[in-house]
């Protein structure tokens, strides 16, 4: 039964502050007050009691503080928002139209007016806001249900009073009974123990349809409905046998027009003077509107408001059910047939969707998501298939049943095919690409979090492979991704704890075999995995932004060591130290200032430092991007082009780069490791060296592994070399210890 608006005198909130914890609430907080003012303007017209808007606004401030604190909390916990929903019902927000207004303001203004005070990605803050809305809706629905239940209990008490009055009237006065029977607003019906309906009052007649519809004379057993509770007819038989005196159930009936009326029905057995069953007395209250309200609130709490697809809440309910019992995703798939405890899951993320929002706006992005949702919905029409939107541009499909794994792959193909056709919006065709990760298994093997983690990892493998494709989950790939994640999380603490160290590989002048410098190579002494090479953690540091502080530390350590070599050198000739720069460091605005500061702190001449930049990092760079390197070169720092030959392999663009050294990639010199040398490799290296010297560039060769190879490179005019033939990377005190042995024999 829907709450009824009250017309009593104005209500004060002074004695009913919401008991929702200890949220930090300061009435002078301008952001809180502005959010509460907007919230009050939207919700106040829906209140079921005469409360002034100013008083209602003051009441909303602590509720807004709860939402703010929940939004910012680490770890995130949406449960306080559940109490906010309950507190709003207690504040007379009991009309059905109140919830959309409540949730709409939270969705539109919570993150805007009460943003997190610490760095948080926009996607995470929006996802948190969405989960807070769901929690508010759940708390609102539960409190509203309890509110309705209290009114229902009051009505039931009245009905029971009517029943007691009816029983007394049957024994004392037919006239008095008839007055109560006809005048009560509760539906009343009397049937004998054989189920034949003897009499009904007007209220019950109205529940079943027009007055012309005959209810009297029919048998209770005829009034069946497919949604009858399984235990209903068992209770009925127990009552007419005299084994019980009362039962209460919620039961649907068909009206005369074919529609359904839901009733809260209480049935009591009336016995004769000898105690034998004689009549059934049924009291029925129409609860159709209340059930519709609950269904609407449930739908809003479990469906995405933009696309209409099931949301995270409903998806995880179905996934938990499938993983625990193997039951299907459909409403009728509650039993578990043999082999049905299998599942398949497709985790889909749109490729490049952020570019749509950034270039065309979020309104166009939302319309694109709606179009994508419609296409995905059309791909999953089976009774055991469910498509949901998890948030943003992430969608997921769940299939259950014995053939779920194969069906999941087929569904992924259908979804990619459905998205292949461009979406036409505002006169433009928007192409849609997606990456899909597929996970399948049996119920009971994995938890929901593990399944989603595996699907997410697999989806990113599909993205890394070029996107617009699907990949199948692989345990080894999952383990590697989890290991990478563990290393990524450990990186900041590793730098703070001094877990990194540097090894140096000598740079040897080919003309006389003397050591002229060294390349600084960073290593990680991991407390669990031991020593890790840069290939294991540099890409992770690059992707997280930690490469900048790590690179600054490497530069400072290498400069300090180079200064020590200069001081300790026997002939006073400064040794040069080579330090690698990543693409992120090249884009860092403070690169030049940091380098100058490091050189000054170490007391190192700029000519003793060489910064190595990969060829791929400079391909296509414009003048603005090259400016930091030019500034460093002007200071006297050498710039080396590392891995030369892996990009354009074109010397013509070198004329505009501020480089002084080419580091020739080892792929060009492998053919010289043994005699006779590969003539093609010889010609290529000879041409590169000749052109480089013409441009006044020195040539360093990396990856030298044999004496034969070193001899060839010296004869071809290469300036310096490094590799395992001379020495493997090691501690700084071994810089001048050269093995001069072929790597294969070491």
């Amino acid at each position: 039964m829907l709450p009824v608006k009250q017309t009593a005198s104005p209500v004060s909130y002074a004695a009913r502050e919401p008991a929702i914890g200890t949220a930090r609430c300061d009435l002078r907080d301008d952001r809180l007050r502005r959010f509460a003012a907007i919230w009050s303007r939207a919700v106040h017209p829906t209140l079921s009691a005469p409360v002034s808007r100013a008083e209602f606004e003051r009441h909303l401030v602590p509720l807004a503080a709860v939402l703010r604190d929940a939004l910012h909390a680490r770890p995130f916990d949406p449960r306080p928002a559940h109490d906010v929903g309950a507190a709003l019902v207690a504040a007379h927000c009991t009309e059905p139209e109140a919830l959309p207004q409540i949730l709409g303001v939270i969705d539109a203004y919570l993150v805007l007016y009460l943003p997190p005070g610490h760095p948080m990605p926009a996607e995470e803050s929006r996802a948190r806001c969405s989960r807070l809305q769901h929690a508010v809706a759940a708390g609102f629905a539960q409190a509203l249900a309890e509110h309705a239940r209290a009114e229902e209990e009051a009505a039931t008490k009245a009905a029971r009073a009517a029943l007691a009055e009816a029983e007394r009237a049957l024994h004392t006065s037919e006239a008095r009974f008839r007055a109560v029977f006809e005048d009560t607003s509760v539906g009343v019906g009397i049937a004998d123990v054989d189920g034949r309906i003897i009499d009904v009052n007007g209220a019950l007649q109205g529940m079943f349809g027009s007055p012309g519809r005959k209810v009297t004379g029919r048998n209770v057993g005829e009034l069946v409905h497919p949604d009858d509770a399984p235990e209903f007819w068992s209770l009925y038989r127990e009552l007419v046998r005299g084994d019980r005196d009362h039962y209460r159930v919620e039961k649907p009936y068909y009206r005369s027009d074919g529609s359904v009326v839901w009733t809260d029905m209480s049935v009591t057995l009336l016995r004769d003077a000898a105690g034998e069953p004689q009549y059934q007395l049924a009291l029925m209250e129409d609860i159709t509107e209340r059930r519709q309200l609950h269904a609407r609130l449930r739908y809003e709490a479990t469906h995405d408001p933009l696309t209409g697809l099931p949301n995270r809440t409903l998806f995880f309910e179905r996934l938990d059910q499938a993983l625990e019992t193997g039951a299907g995703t459909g409403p009728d798939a509650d039993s578990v047939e043999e082999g049905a405890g299998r599942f398949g899951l497709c985790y889909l993320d749109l490729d490049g969707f952020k570019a749509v929002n950034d270039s065309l706006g979020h309104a166009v992005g939302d319309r694109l998501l709606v179009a994508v949702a419609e296409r995905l919905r059309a791909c999953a029409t089976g009774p055991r298939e469910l498509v949901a939107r998890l948030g943003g541009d992430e969608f997921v499909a769940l299939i259950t049943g014995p053939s779920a794994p194969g069906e999941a792959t087929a569904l992924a193909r259908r979804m990619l095919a459905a998205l292949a056709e461009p979406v036409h919006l505002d006169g433009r065709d928007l192409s849609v690409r997606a990456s899909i990760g597929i996970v399948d298994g049996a119920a009971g093997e994995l938890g929901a979090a593990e399944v989603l983690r595996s699907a997410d990892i697999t989806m990113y493998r599909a993205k890394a492979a070029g996107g617009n494709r699907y990949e199948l989950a692989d345990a080894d790939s999952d383990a590697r991704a989890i290991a990478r994640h563990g290393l990524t999380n450990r990186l900041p603490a590793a730098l703070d704890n001094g877990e990194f160290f540097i090894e140096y590989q000598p740079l040897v002048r080919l003309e006389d075999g003397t050591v002229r410098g060294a390349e600084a190579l960073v290593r990680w002494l991991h407390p669990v995995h031991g020593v890790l090479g840069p290939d294991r953690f540099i890409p992770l540091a690059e992707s997280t932004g930690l490469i900048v502080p790590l690179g600054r530390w490497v530069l400072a350590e290498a400069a300090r060591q180079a200064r020590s070599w200069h001081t300790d050198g026997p002939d006073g000739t400064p040794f040069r130290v080579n330090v690698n720069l990543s693409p992120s460091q090249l884009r860092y605005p403070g690169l030049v200032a940091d380098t100058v500061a490091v050189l000054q702190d170490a007391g190192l001449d700029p000519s003793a430092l060489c910064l190595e930049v990969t060829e791929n990092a400079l391909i296509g760079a414009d003048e603005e991007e090259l400016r930091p390197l030019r500034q460093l070169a002007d200071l006297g720092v050498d710039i080396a082009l590392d891995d030369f030959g892996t990009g354009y392999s074109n010397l013509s663009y070198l004329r505009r780069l501020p480089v002084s050294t080419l580091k020739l990639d080892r792929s060009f010199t492998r053919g010289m490791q043994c005699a006779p040398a590969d003539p093609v490799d010889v010609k290529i290296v000879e041409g590169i060296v000749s052109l480089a010297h013409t441009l006044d560039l020195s040539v360093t060769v990396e990856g030298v592994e044999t004496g034969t190879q070193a001899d060839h490179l010296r004869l071809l005019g290469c300036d310096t070399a490094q590799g395992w033939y001379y020495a493997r990377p090691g501690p700084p005190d071994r810089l001048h210890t050269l093995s001069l042995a072929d790597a294969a024999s070491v």
Side-chain angles (χ1 to χ4, degrees), residues 34-187:
R34 282 188 287 166
F35 178 85
I38 295 172
W39 211 5
S40 174
R41 283 196 297 271
V43 180
H44 182 264
T46 67
L47 295 184
S48 60
V51 182
S52 71
R53 193 165 71 82
E55 186 176 7
F56 183 63
E57 179 179 330
R58 288 194 298 273
H59 186 71
L60 291 179
V61 171
L63 303 186
V66 172
L67 296 179
R68 176 200 62 194
D69 292 351
L71 178 66
H72 302 176
R74 289 185 181 274
F76 176 66
D77 184 2
R79 287 177 294 180
H82 185 283
D83 296 335
V84 171
L88 288 167
V89 173
H92 307 292
C93 298
T94 56
E95 292 297 328
E97 59 269 23
L99 183 59
Q101 299 296 331
I102 293 168
L103 299 181
V105 172
I106 295 174
D107 181 69
Y109 296 101
L110 180 61
V111 175
L112 179 64
Y113 277 85
L114 304 173
H118 48 78
M120 181 181 297
E123 293 83 358
E124 182 181 352
S125 62
R126 292 304 307 167
R128 287 188 172 196
C129 181
S130 177
R131 292 186 62 187
L132 290 176
Q133 293 175 62
H134 296 161
V136 170
F140 184 91
Q142 180 179 344
L144 189 59
E146 293 171 357
H147 178 80
R149 192 177 300 116
E151 293 190 346
E152 172 191 332
E153 289 175 355
T156 300
K157 289 180 181 178
R160 288 177 178 172
L163 172 60
E165 183 65 19
E167 289 179 336
R168 286 193 296 272
L170 282 172
H171 290 288
T172 57
S173 169
E174 179 64 25
R176 290 178 59 195
F177 169 77
R178 181 56 56 184
V180 173
F181 183 79
E182 292 295 346
D183 293 342
T184 183
S185 60
V186 176

Side-chain angles (χ1 to χ4, degrees), residues 694-712:
T694 300
L695 295 173
D696 199 23
L697 303 175
S698 64
V699 177
T700 298
V701 182
E702 56 187 357
V704 177
E705 297 185 356
T706 68
T708 300
Q709 189 178 14
D711 291 339
H712 281 300

